[in-house]
C-alpha cells in the first residue's frame, strides 16, 4: 500500500483533468495533487520522486463519491442473505431456509432485497410462510426500498407493544413506526464484531469500485448511535474510503446541534423522513396512488421543516431531509422558504442544505431548489430499476406521472447542484452504472451528458458537504484518484445523434469511457484516497 507522504509520478496514460484536457501524467505529493501535464514535461519530475507508475495507457480519474449509503446494512447484505436475485416467492423462501441452516448461531436472521413486484405470485411472503422457512427463529427481511419489511413471529415477540404502533399489519409488510421498532430490535441483536465485519466488507467493496468517499446516512430511525459512531471511528483508523456521516435527527436549538456534532456528524441531514417510498406506498403524494386508495404518509409538516432548517442554519450546521413524493418536496420547499424569510435567503443558500432522493419534482419545485440553494442528492439507479412505461413507478403512479420523475436535465438547467449516490443497499454500489443510468435515463428528456453525470458523482459529492476544492484532479486537490482499465474515450452527449459524439482531443474536453448500454464498464485497477492506496486489483 502506497504511503500518503510518498511522492509519486504517474505517466503514460490519460489523466482526466480540467487543468489540462490533454494530460497524460500527474504528480502526487503529501496526499495532494502537485502537478498535471504532458508526457514530455513529466521527464523533469522522474528523478525526484519516490515512485514512478507506468499507467500503460490506463485512465486516471477522480475517485467517486457516493452521496447516500448505509454501510452497515450494505455490508450485512454483502455478507448475508441477499434476495435481490430471487425470481419467485418459493425461491425466496428456499434462500431463507438455506440461510437459516448456514447461520445456526445468529440471534436474528437478516436478509435484504426482495421485491414482490418481480415475482409471478405478486405478493410478499406471509407470516406463516416466513415462520416455517426460518424454523421459528427471529427473521427481518426489508423490502428492496428498506421502507417496509416482513418479519417472523419470533422477531415480533422481541418488540413489546409493536402491535399498537402505526404501520403494524398482522399479515402484511410493516411500515412506519412498527417497521422502525422491529428494525431496531433486529439490528440491536447484531453484536459489535459482526457490525465491524460488515462495515469493513462494505468499504472494501466500495474501494474496489473506485469509490473514495461515502456519505453515511444514519439516524435514530435508520440505525443507532453506537453503530454510527463506531463506523466513523473505524473509517478514521483503518485504510479505505473516507466516510462522512449525516445524522437524521431534528434540531431545535444550539444544544441539539452540539449533540449532532458530538456524534461526529457532518450535518443533521440524510434520512430525516418527510415521507417514505413509492415502492412501499408510503411516499407522500398530492394525488392518490394509481394502485392504492390513498396518497401516502407525510411525517413532517412545513413548520417542522422550517424549525429544523432555521436551527441548523443558526448553528452553522447543514440540514437535510428525505423527500420523494411531490407532497413531500412541496413541504420541504415551503419549510425552507419560511426559514429563509426568517433568516434571510443568503444565509440559507450559504448553508447548502440537502434534499435526498427528490424524485417527484415540478418546474416550480425545481425553481425553488435553485432559489434556496438546495442540493439534490439523487440516485439515478432508481430510474434504471423502476422507471419506464412498465416499471414500478408507472404501476404506482400511472405512466403520465411516472414520466416526470427524476428530472436531472431540468435540475441542471436551473442550476441546482446534483450529488449522485446509490442509497445502498437499496440499489448496489455501482458508480459507472450510476453515471450510465443518468446519461441514458428511461425518459429521454431527463438525460444529462456523461460529463455532467460524472461530475455529479465526483465533485458533486464534495460540494454537497461544502467543499469546492476536491473531487477533481487539479493541483492542490486531495489525491483521491482511480486508475481504470477501459476502452476508447469519447465525449458523449445525452442522445443518440452521432454528430454529438467525438473522440477528437481538439475539442478541448477530456474524454470519458463510452457508457452506451451493453458496452463493458471500466474496471478499477487501483484506488487511492488522500495519497494512500486502498485497493489494488489482484494480478494487475
Amino acid at each position: 500500500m502506497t504511503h500518503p507522504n510518498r511522492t509519486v509520478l504517474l505517466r503514460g496514460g490519460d489523466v482526466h483533468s480540467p487543468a489540462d484536457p490533454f494530460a497524460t501524467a500527474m504528480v502526487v505529493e503529501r496526499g495532494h495533487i502537485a502537478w498535471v501535464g504532458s508526457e514530455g514535461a513529466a521527464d523533469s519530475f522522474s528523478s525526484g520522486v519516490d515512485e514512478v507508475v507506468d499507467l500503460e495507457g490506463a485512465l486516471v480519474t477522480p475517485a467517486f463519491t457516493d452521496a447516500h449509503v448505509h454501510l452497515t446494512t450494505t455490508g450485512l447484505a454483502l455478507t448475508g442473505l441477499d434476495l435481490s436475485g430471487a425470481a419467485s416467492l418459493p425461491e425466496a423462501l428456499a434462500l431463507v431456509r438455506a440461510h437459516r441452516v448456514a447461520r445456526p448461531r445468529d440471534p436474528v436472521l437478516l436478509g435484504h432485497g426482495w421485491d414482490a413486484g418481480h415475482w409471478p405470485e405478486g405478493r410478499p411472503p406471509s407470516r406463516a410462510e416466513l415462520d416455517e422457512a426460518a424454523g421459528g427463529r427471529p427473521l427481518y427481511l426489508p423490502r428492496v426500498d428498506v421502507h417496509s419489511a416482513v418479519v417472523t413471529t419470533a422477531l415480533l415477540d422481541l418488540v413489546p407493544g409493536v402491535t399498537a404502533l402505526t404501520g403494524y399489519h398482522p399479515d402484511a409488510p410493516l411500515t412506519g413506526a412498527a417497521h422502525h421498532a422491529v428494525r431496531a430490535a433486529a439490528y440491536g441483536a447484531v453484536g459489535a464484531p459482526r457490525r465491524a465485519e460488515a462495515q469493513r466488507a462494505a468499504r472494501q467493496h466500495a474501494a474496489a469500485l473506485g469509490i473514495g468517499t461515502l456519505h453515511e446516512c444514519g439516524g435514530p430511525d435508520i440505525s443507532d448511535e453506537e453503530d454510527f459512531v463506531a463506523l466513523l471511528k473505524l473509517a478514521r483508523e483503518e485504510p479505505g474510503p473516507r466516510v462522512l456521516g449525516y445524522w437524521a435527527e431534528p434540531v431545535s436549538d444550539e444544544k441539539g446541534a452540539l449533540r449532532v456534532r458530538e456524534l461526529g456528524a457532518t450535518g443533521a441531514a440524510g434520512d430525516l423522513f418527510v415521507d417514505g417510498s413509492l415502492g412501499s406506498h408510503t411516499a407522500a403524494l398530492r394525488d392518490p396512488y394509481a394502485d392504492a386508495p390513498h396518497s401516502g404518509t407525510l411525517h413532517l409538516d412545513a413548520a417542522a421543516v422550517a424549525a429544523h432548517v432555521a436551527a441548523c442554519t443558526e448553528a452553522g450546521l447543514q440540514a437535510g431531509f428525505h423527500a420523494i413524493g411531490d407532497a413531500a418536496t412541496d413541504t420541504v420547499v415551503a419549510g425552507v422558504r419560511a426559514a429563509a424569510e426568517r433568516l434571510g435567503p443568503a444565509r440559507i443558500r450559504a448553508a447548502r442544505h440537502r434534499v435526498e432522493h427528490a424524485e417527484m419534482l415540478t418546474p416550480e419545485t425545481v425553481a425553488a431548489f435553485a432559489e434556496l440553494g438546495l442540493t439534490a442528492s439523487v440516485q439515478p439507479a432508481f430510474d434504471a430499476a423502476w422507471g419506464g412505461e412498465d416499471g414500478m413507478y408507472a404501476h404506482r403512479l400511472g405512466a403520465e406521472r411516472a414520466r416526470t420523475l427524476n428530472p436531472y436535465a431540468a435540475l441542471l438547467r436551473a442550476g441546482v447542484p446534483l450529488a449522485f449516490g446509490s442509497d445502498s443497499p437499496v440499489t448496489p454500489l455501482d458508480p459507472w452504472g450510476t453515471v450510465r443510468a443518468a446519461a441514458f435515463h428511461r425518459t429521454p428528456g431527463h438525460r444529462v451528458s456523461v460529463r455532467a453525470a460524472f461530475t455529479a458523482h465526483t465533485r458533486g459529492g464534495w460540494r454537497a458537504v461544502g467543499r469546492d476544492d476536491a473531487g477533481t484532479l487539479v493541483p492542490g486537490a486531495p489525491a483521491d484518484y482511480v486508475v481504470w482499465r477501459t476502452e476508447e474515450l469519447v465525449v458523449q452527449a445525452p442522445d443518440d445523434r452521432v454528430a454529438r459524439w467525438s473522440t477528437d482531443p481538439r475539442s478541448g474536453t477530456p474524454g470519458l469511457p463510452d457508457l452506451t448500454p451493453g458496452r463493458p464498464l471500466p474496471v478499477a485497477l487501483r484506488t487511492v484516497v488522500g495519497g494512500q492506496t486502498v485497493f489494488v486489483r489482484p494480478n494487475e
Side-chain angles (χ1 to χ4, degrees), residues 153-169:
T153 303
L155 181 58
L156 289 174
D157 290 342
L158 299 178
V159 189
V162 66
T163 59
L165 295 177
T166 302
Y168 173 79
H169 308 283

Side-chain angles (χ1 to χ4, degrees), residues 206-225:
L209 295 170
I211 299 170
T213 301
L214 299 143
H215 295 186
E216 168 70 13
C217 292
D221 290 333
I222 293 293
S223 55
D224 59 48
E225 292 181 18

Side-chain angles (χ1 to χ4, degrees), residues 81 83 89-111 125-141 150-156:
L81 174 58
L83 297 178
L89 176 55
E91 184 178 339
L93 292 170
L95 289 170
V96 171
R97 294 186 190 98
H99 185 67
R100 176 196 79 199
V101 173
R103 309 287 299 207
R105 295 182 178 84
D106 286 7
V108 173
L109 297 170
L110 301 172
S126 68
R127 177 94 59 78
E129 289 169 330
L130 282 183
D131 285 347
E132 182 278 325
R137 294 168 61 186
L139 169 69
Y140 171 67
L141 291 181
V150 290
V151 304
T152 57
T153 303
L155 181 58
L156 289 174

Side-chain angles (χ1 to χ4, degrees), residues 24-241:
T24 61
M26 181 172 76
V27 173
V28 174
E29 185 175 27
R30 296 186 181 277
H32 288 77
I33 308 300
W35 172 85
V36 175
S38 66
E39 191 64 26
D43 289 336
S44 63
F45 293 97
S46 59
S47 62
V49 300
D50 298 311
E51 180 183 2
V52 177
V53 176
D54 183 358
L55 294 169
E56 300 179 344
L59 171 67
V60 181
T61 72
F64 285 102
T65 293
D66 192 308
H68 191 120
V69 296
H70 306 283
L71 281 169
T72 302
T73 49
T74 294
L76 290 170
L78 288 169
T79 59
L81 174 58
D82 181 3
L83 297 178
S84 61
S88 67
L89 176 55
E91 184 178 339
L93 292 170
L95 289 170
V96 171
R97 294 186 190 98
H99 185 67
R100 176 196 79 199
V101 173
R103 309 287 299 207
R105 295 182 178 84
D106 286 7
V108 173
L109 297 170
L110 301 172
H112 171 74
W114 62 269
D115 186 351
H118 292 162
W119 295 343
E121 299 78 12
R123 67 170 180 86
S126 68
R127 177 94 59 78
E129 289 169 330
L130 282 183
D131 285 347
E132 182 278 325
R137 294 168 61 186
L139 169 69
Y140 171 67
L141 291 181
R143 188 185 178 278
V144 63
D145 61 8
V146 200
H147 283 270
S148 61
V150 290
V151 304
T152 57
T153 303
L155 181 58
L156 289 174
D157 290 342
L158 299 178
V159 189
V162 66
T163 59
L165 295 177
T166 302
Y168 173 79
H169 308 283
D171 202 27
L174 305 181
T175 61
H179 176 217
H180 296 160
V182 297
R183 175 165 52 195
Y187 287 131
V190 178
R194 178 81 172 91
R195 291 190 187 199
E197 173 195 357
Q199 292 161 1
R200 290 188 182 99
R203 292 178 74 230
Q204 290 165 4
H205 183 57
L209 295 170
I211 299 170
T213 301
L214 299 143
H215 295 186
E216 168 70 13
C217 292
D221 290 333
I222 293 293
S223 55
D224 59 48
E225 292 181 18
E226 180 183 358
D227 178 75
F228 185 76
V229 171
L231 169 62
L232 298 183
K233 182 174 185 291
L234 182 144
R236 288 193 303 269
E237 295 177 350
E238 298 184 7

Side-chain angles (χ1 to χ4, degrees), residues 510-534:
L512 285 166
D514 184 351
L515 299 184
T516 303
R519 296 188 69 90
L521 294 175
V523 175
L525 304 179
R526 176 182 294 203
T527 302
V528 177
V529 177
Q532 182 174 20
T533 301
V534 299

Side-chain angles (χ1 to χ4, degrees), residues 146-425:
V146 200
H147 283 270
S148 61
V150 290
V151 304
T152 57
T153 303
L155 181 58
L156 289 174
D157 290 342
L158 299 178
V159 189
V162 66
T163 59
L165 295 177
T166 302
Y168 173 79
H169 308 283
D171 202 27
L174 305 181
T175 61
H179 176 217
H180 296 160
V182 297
R183 175 165 52 195
Y187 287 131
V190 178
R194 178 81 172 91
R195 291 190 187 199
E197 173 195 357
Q199 292 161 1
R200 290 188 182 99
R203 292 178 74 230
Q204 290 165 4
H205 183 57
L209 295 170
I211 299 170
T213 301
L214 299 143
H215 295 186
E216 168 70 13
C217 292
D221 290 333
I222 293 293
S223 55
D224 59 48
E225 292 181 18
E226 180 183 358
D227 178 75
F228 185 76
V229 171
L231 169 62
L232 298 183
K233 182 174 185 291
L234 182 144
R236 288 193 303 269
E237 295 177 350
E238 298 184 7
R242 67 172 57 78
V243 178
L244 304 175
Y246 284 94
W247 186 250
E249 188 168 341
V251 170
S252 59
D253 53 26
E254 177 62 37
K255 182 178 179 181
L258 178 61
R259 174 182 142 68
V260 171
R261 287 195 176 95
E262 287 174 343
L263 292 175
T266 299
D271 280 329
L272 183 51
F273 294 120
V274 178
D275 68 344
S277 75
L278 292 165
S280 291
H281 290 102
T282 52
L285 312 182
R286 293 178 179 177
D287 300 303
Y289 284 88
D291 61 350
H294 62 84
S295 55
T297 305
L298 198 64
H299 300 300
L300 298 176
D301 60 18
V305 170
H308 180 70
V309 170
C312 287
T313 303
E314 291 185 313
L317 190 66
Q318 196 176 23
F321 305 90
H322 162 120
I324 286 180
D326 47 8
T329 53
D330 288 348
T331 299
V332 170
V333 165
V336 177
R337 182 167 281 135
E341 291 171 357
R342 172 181 164 189
L343 301 179
R347 290 184 68 186
I348 297 297
R349 286 195 295 267
R352 303 193 189 189
H353 301 309
R354 299 171 52 143
V355 183
E356 309 299 316
H357 316 308
E359 293 200 80
M360 293 185 71
L361 299 172
T362 64
E364 292 75 22
T365 50
V366 169
F369 271 44
E371 171 198 348
L372 298 166
L374 296 174
T375 294
S377 171
V378 296
Q379 297 74 39
F382 286 8
D383 174 75
W386 302 311
E389 296 298 306
D390 296 320
M392 181 269 288
Y393 291 152
H395 289 292
R396 293 290 185 270
L397 303 171
E400 183 176 351
R401 275 193 295 177
R403 282 191 288 269
T404 68
L405 264 62
N406 302 302
Y408 303 138
L411 287 163
L412 282 180
R413 283 195 300 268
V416 176
L418 293 183
F420 282 178
S422 62
D423 200 8
S424 180

